[in-house]
């Protein structure tokens, strides 16, 4: 249920594509019931009522409240969908969708009736010619009543199975948003948070209720908000929202699982976080490790999740304490200084070559957590009081494989590589040639399936499709006669990178339909060597042109230049996917910086 006071406007002239309307209608018949959350427009920087007179972005609605969306919440009829309409929203800077949460499941007919009543009452109040102050008083009191009712009626007879979010992104670029559910009790520091990726076109995602319950007591009052990350600086973020509710699904009808954003590195504060006490005040002899902290660090390490440090301390004193406790080797790129924690996190992200949205920051100070939230909103944050629960977070799950157990050491070796690269100055090509990089190409099979699955879940910057595969999906690909699945491992004179890449090629065209690499080999020309090798092999075997599909995102835009850099030509785009071609009669050139050896079974590319 979207705020009816702001729904008086309809998106006249807006006509969604027929296939998108059909996508919104696809959920009908698959639900037993749903909640009725009163969604409204809110601001991430709200300091009501002061900001109404001080903020340059304030724009009054008819009821006197702030217009956070450029054109309000404009309804677009969508017959056949669960709630019969979608909302067109163009976000202003700092705007977000917000609702008081509850998990009372109503029948679909009851929910629909409540929505219609709310819309009629709200629209009537909106159009009645009353003085602005009186209208503002009426609408504000009405919304306060809806908010109190939502928080008072917490549960119903039926338990939801998931939270569903439907969205149509009409642009040609992906939009990321943060879904947050947190207690209204400010003393409860842990909240549910999930980064959502809205690709161009239609999207429907699902969060299992169990995932939310691990982080949030849903029997107590809580709030829900959806904040487009791009809207912080851009007023061109326009999205169409359908159902966004807790639902009870019919058996066998659960929709696509909303992917969990995997944490790649947990960044720890030290004082009153890793240990009890403040080092500069209590002294080394008086600080003690938190109970169970070593086990937490080692569990994360075994899963391939790195540990680092962002602490305001004296570097030498902090290192002495870590060494005394025997945990100094568990941390990579520790940032110990008196600079802001947000700067430390950005440095860690840069040095480890992983996105900030793959970091989890742990600190006991509300000030530090808020400072990071303000300057690095894409970083996942956890209060240090909850440190023992970190390994149980969905974002921190992952198999313990031979690859994951060695990840920290691989990063240490990478640090040695970087030091060697620095000694070559600007002649980076000479450094790469001296590294003797060797790429091995193998078929995907049972022996490497776990690592491939892990790679598809973790890879973001060099994922050229955005796909995430389950094990069953990978097995289906491996059994397909027309899909060739390749696994890539790499080594150089410093040591092994392990398995760093995965590729799927449809041998009927032939066409590369999926390609992803670990960021460990980024900027080392490994992807160039692989593509060149595949183009040469498939053109030689088929005598036909070689095609590649690529879904460009803000994260993979720079690595995506590899297609044109190896000589492929862009020939079209459809639903956000770019098609490249390498004609069979053109010469295939290589810089020979990376040697390639293929161990693929002959039948794999037949």
């Amino acid at each position: 249920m979207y705020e009816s006071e702001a729904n008086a406007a309809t998106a006249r002239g807006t006509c969604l594509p027929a296939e998108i309307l059909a996508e919104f209608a696809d959920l009908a018949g698959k639900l037993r019931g749903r909640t009725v959350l009163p969604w409204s427009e809110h601001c991430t920087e709200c300091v009501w009522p002061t900001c109404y007179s001080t903020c340059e972005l304030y724009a009054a609605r008819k009821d006197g409240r702030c217009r956070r969306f450029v054109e309000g919440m404009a309804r677009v009829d969508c017959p056949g969908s669960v709630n019969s309409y979608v909302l067109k929203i163009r976000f202003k800077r700092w705007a977000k969708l917000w609702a008081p949460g509850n998990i009372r499941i109503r029948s679909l007919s009851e929910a629909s009736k409540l929505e219609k009543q709310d819309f009629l009452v709200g629209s009537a109040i909106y159009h009645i010619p009353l003085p602005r102050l009186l209208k503002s008083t009426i609408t504000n009191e009405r919304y306060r009543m809806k908010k109190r009712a939502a928080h008072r009626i917490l549960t119903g007879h039926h338990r939801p199975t998931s939270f569903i979010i439907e969205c149509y992104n009409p642009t040609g670029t992906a939009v990321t948003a943060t879904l947050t559910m947190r207690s209204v009790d400010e003393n409860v520091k842990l909240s549910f948070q999930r980064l959502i990726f809205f690709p161009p076109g239609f999207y429907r995602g699902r969060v299992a209720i169990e995932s939310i319950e691990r982080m949030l007591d849903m029997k107590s009052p809580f709030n829900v908000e959806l904040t487009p990350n791009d809207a912080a600086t851009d007023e061109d973020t326009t999205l169409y929202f359908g159902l966004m509710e807790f639902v009870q699904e019919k058996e066998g009808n659960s929709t696509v699982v909303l992917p969990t954003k995997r944490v790649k590195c947990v960044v720890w504060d030290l004082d009153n976080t890793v240990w009890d006490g403040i080092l500069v005040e209590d002294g080394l002899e008086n600080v003690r490790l938190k109970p169970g902290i070593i086990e937490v660090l080692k569990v994360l390490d075994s899963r391939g999740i790195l540990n680092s440090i962002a602490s305001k301390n004296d570097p030498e004193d902090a290192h002495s304490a870590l060494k005394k406790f025997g945990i100094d080797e568990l941390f990579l790129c520790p940032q110990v200084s008196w600079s802001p924690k947000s700067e430390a996190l950005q440095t860690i992200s840069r040095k480890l070559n992983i996105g900030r949205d793959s970091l989890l920051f742990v600190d006991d100070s509300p000030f530090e957590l808020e400072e990071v939230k303000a300057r690095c909103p894409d970083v996942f944050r956890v209060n240090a009081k909850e440190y023992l629960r970190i390994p149980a977070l969905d974002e921190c799950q992952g198999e313990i494989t031979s690859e994951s157990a060695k990840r920290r050491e691989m990063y240490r070796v990478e640090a040695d590589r970087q030091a060697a690269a620095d000694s070559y100055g600007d002649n980076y090509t000479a450094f790469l040639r001296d590294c003797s990089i060797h790429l091995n190409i193998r078929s995907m099979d049972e022996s490497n399936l776990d690592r491939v699955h892990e790679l598809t879940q973790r890879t973001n910057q060099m994922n050229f499709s955005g796909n995430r595969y389950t094990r069953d999906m990978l097995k289906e690909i491996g059994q397909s006669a027309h899909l060739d699945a390749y696994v890539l491992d790499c080594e150089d004179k410093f040591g092994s990178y392990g398995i760093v890449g995965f590729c799927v090629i449809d041998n009927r065209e032939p066409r590369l339909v999926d390609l992803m690499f670990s960021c460990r080999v980024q900027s080392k020309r490994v992807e160039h060597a692989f593509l060149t090798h595949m183009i040469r092999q498939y053109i030689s075997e088929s005598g036909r042109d070689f095609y590649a599909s690529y879904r460009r995102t803000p994260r993979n835009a720079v690595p995506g230049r590899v297609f044109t850099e190896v000589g492929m030509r862009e020939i079209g785009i459809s639903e956000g996917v770019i098609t490249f071609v390498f004609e069979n009669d053109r010469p295939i050139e290589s810089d020979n910086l990376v040697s390639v050896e293929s161990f693929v079974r002959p039948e794999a590319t037949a």
Side-chain angles (χ1 to χ4, degrees):
M1 176 171 68
Y2 296 93
E3 189 176 24
S4 55
E5 288 84 352
N7 283 347
T10 57
R12 293 184 177 87
T14 299
C15 184
L16 297 182
E19 62 270 20
I20 298 300
L21 293 174
E23 292 276 15
F24 277 113
D26 182 63
L27 195 60
K30 297 181 180 180
L31 303 180
R32 294 185 184 277
R34 66 180 178 94
T35 56
V36 185
L37 301 183
W39 290 99
S40 63
E41 51 183 336
H42 273 253
C43 176
T44 61
E45 307 296 322
C46 183
V47 286
W48 178 89
T50 305
C51 55
Y52 281 19
S53 59
T54 61
C55 180
E56 63 179 13
L57 294 178
Y58 172 73
R61 302 191 324 197
K62 285 188 177 181
D63 58 10
R65 298 172 69 188
C66 181
R67 172 68 69 202
R68 278 87 168 197
F69 303 147
V70 177
E71 299 160 345
M73 303 170 80
R75 293 169 67 106
V76 180
D77 289 336
C78 187
S81 67
V82 173
N83 48 350
S84 74
Y85 67 93
V86 298
L87 252 293
K88 178 184 178 183
I89 297 178
R90 184 181 174 195
F91 290 85
K92 288 171 64 174
R93 188 152 41 105
W94 303 335
K96 66 180 179 182
L97 276 163
W98 181 92
N102 71 78
I103 54 173
R104 179 175 179 178
I105 295 295
R106 304 174 185 271
S107 69
L108 297 181
S109 59
E110 181 186 7
S112 178
K113 182 179 178 180
L114 283 173
E115 283 218 53
K116 289 179 180 178
Q117 289 177 346
D118 179 78
F119 177 66
L120 290 173
V121 172
S123 296
I125 294 173
Y126 189 90
H127 287 291
I128 292 176
L130 296 172
R132 177 172 171 174
L133 181 59
L134 179 58
K135 178 172 290 191
S136 176
T137 301
I138 293 173
T139 54
N140 285 339
E141 180 56 32
R142 181 170 180 270
Y143 193 73
R144 279 193 289 268
M145 291 174 59
K146 289 164 63 175
K147 180 179 176 181
R148 288 195 297 268
H151 280 159
R152 183 175 63 250
I153 305 173
L154 300 175
T155 60
H157 180 66
H158 302 290
R159 178 175 179 270
T161 55
S162 66
F163 181 83
I164 295 288
I165 179 168
E166 295 181 314
C167 180
Y168 167 51
N169 175 5
T171 71
T173 59
V175 174
T176 62
T178 301
L179 175 67
T180 304
M181 302 183 193
R182 60 166 58 93
S183 172
V184 299
D185 184 350
E186 295 184 357
N187 294 317
V188 178
K189 302 302 182 183
L190 201 61
S191 62
F192 173 83
Q193 194 174 62
R194 184 66 56 83
L195 186 71
I196 303 177
F197 180 85
F198 294 129
F202 179 80
Y203 172 90
R204 180 185 293 124
R206 171 184 185 269
V207 184
I209 198 69
E210 294 82 3
S211 296
I212 303 172
E213 288 175 332
R214 291 193 194 106
M215 308 294 295
L216 186 69
D217 178 8
M218 305 187 75
K219 295 179 180 179
S220 297
F222 66 96
N223 296 325
V224 188
E225 59 187 57
L226 183 78
T227 309
N229 299 329
D230 308 279
T233 57
D234 182 8
E235 291 194 359
D236 290 328
T237 303
T238 300
L239 299 170
Y240 293 77
F241 291 97
L243 193 69
M244 196 151 58
E245 303 278 353
F246 294 98
V247 302
Q248 186 181 62
E249 300 147 302
K250 293 181 179 179
E251 292 184 6
N253 281 312
S254 62
T255 188
V256 177
V257 176
L258 198 157
T260 300
K261 181 65 181 179
R262 299 290 180 181
V263 167
K264 295 183 179 180
C265 179
V266 178
V267 183
W268 300 84
D269 175 41
L270 293 177
D271 294 330
N272 291 321
T273 299
V274 170
W275 52 61
D276 286 315
I278 300 176
L279 188 59
V280 297
E281 295 179 5
D282 301 321
L284 178 56
E285 66 279 4
N286 293 316
V287 296
R288 299 288 184 271
L289 285 180
K290 290 271 190 181
I293 188 66
I294 291 181
E295 289 74 17
V296 170
L297 293 170
K298 288 185 175 180
V299 166
L300 296 172
D301 188 67
S302 68
R303 294 175 183 171
I305 298 173
L306 307 175
N307 290 287
S308 188
I309 293 170
S311 173
K312 290 181 178 179
N313 252 305
D314 177 81
E316 292 185 6
D317 290 347
H319 179 72
S320 296
L322 294 168
K323 196 169 185 64
K324 171 192 171 183
F325 295 130
I327 57 175
D328 53 312
E329 291 296 319
L330 290 174
F331 298 99
L332 294 176
C333 299
Q335 301 300 303
V336 182
S337 71
W338 301 103
S339 299
K341 298 289 182 74
S342 58
E343 293 182 8
L345 288 164
Q346 293 177 65
T347 299
I348 292 167
S349 171
R350 183 179 68 255
K351 288 192 172 185
L352 294 179
N353 194 25
I354 57 179
R356 290 191 323 202
D357 56 357
S358 297
L359 300 179
L360 185 155
F361 175 56
V362 190
D363 202 299
D364 67 299
S365 166
F367 172 84
E368 301 293 358
L369 292 168
E370 286 300 313
E371 190 269 335
V372 168
K373 177 183 177 181
R375 298 190 64 187
C376 301
D378 44 358
V379 171
F380 188 25
R381 302 165 303 281
V382 170
N383 190 284
K385 293 178 181 179
E386 306 291 341
Y387 73 97
L388 289 175
R389 296 180 62 182
I390 289 174
L393 298 179
D394 285 356
E395 291 81 358
C396 293
Q397 300 308 304
E399 302 87 0
I400 299 176
T401 65
S402 58
E403 188 82 17
S404 67
K406 296 186 296 184
R407 186 162 289 118
R408 173 164 47 92
E409 183 56 33
M410 289 178 177
Y411 272 87
R412 291 199 187 281
V413 172
E414 180 58 28
D416 293 338
R417 289 190 184 97
Q418 188 57 51
D422 292 343
S423 69
Y424 279 79
D426 295 334
N427 198 346
Y428 185 66
T429 300
F431 163 71
L432 289 181
R433 199 176 302 280
D434 188 53
C435 283
S436 301
I437 303 173
H438 185 74
L439 175 66
N440 299 311
I441 304 173
R442 294 178 169 83
S443 296
M444 183 181 67
D445 55 33
E446 286 294 332
S447 69
N448 50 43
L449 187 66
D450 283 346
R451 168 55 182 156
V452 171
H453 176 252
E454 181 190 34
L455 187 70
T456 66
Q457 300 302 310
R458 293 174 58 90
T459 303
N460 296 301
Q461 294 185 58
M462 299 184 72
N463 185 329
F464 298 107
S465 69
N467 290 333
R468 299 283 188 262
Y469 292 109
T470 64
R471 284 187 182 79
D472 289 341
M473 294 167 68
L474 290 172
K475 289 178 180 178
E476 289 181 12
I477 290 173
Q479 295 168 359
S480 171
H482 65 270
L483 295 178
D484 300 336
Y486 300 105
V487 179
L488 290 65
D489 66 80
C490 193
E491 59 189 353
D492 63 18
K493 72 176 187 178
F494 295 95
S496 173
Y497 294 88
I499 292 178
V500 296
F502 172 63
C503 174
V504 179
I505 294 178
D506 187 329
N507 54 44
R508 293 170 298 184
E509 283 192 88
R511 176 184 290 267
L512 183 148
V513 295
D514 215 326
L515 179 63
M516 56 188 71
F517 285 92
S518 165
C519 61
R520 295 200 298 271
V521 294
Q522 191 170 10
S523 303
K524 294 181 172 64
R525 305 290 291 184
V526 173
E527 65 272 30
H528 297 74
F530 173 75
L531 263 179
T532 300
H533 181 86
M534 289 291 103
I535 291 170
R536 182 179 292 111
Q537 174 177 309
Y538 277 87
I539 287 180
S540 174
E541 292 176 355
S542 68
R544 299 194 297 271
D545 297 343
F546 184 86
Y547 296 88
S549 298
Y550 163 47
R551 184 182 292 278
R552 183 185 288 127
T553 70
R555 297 296 303 278
N556 69 23
V558 173
R561 296 171 185 168
V562 63
F563 296 104
T564 55
E565 288 172 356
V566 299
M568 301 194 79
R569 182 169 58 88
E570 182 178 334
I571 58 174
I573 181 170
S574 176
E575 297 182 352
V577 177
I578 302 170
T579 292
F580 289 92
V581 66
F582 197 105
E583 292 85 355
N584 68 79
D585 58 351
R586 292 177 50 207
I588 303 170
E589 300 179 356
S590 173
D591 55 23
N592 296 315
L593 292 174
V594 177
S595 62
V596 180
E597 190 168 1
S598 178
F599 298 92
V600 179
R601 299 186 308 275
E603 65 269 25
T605 55

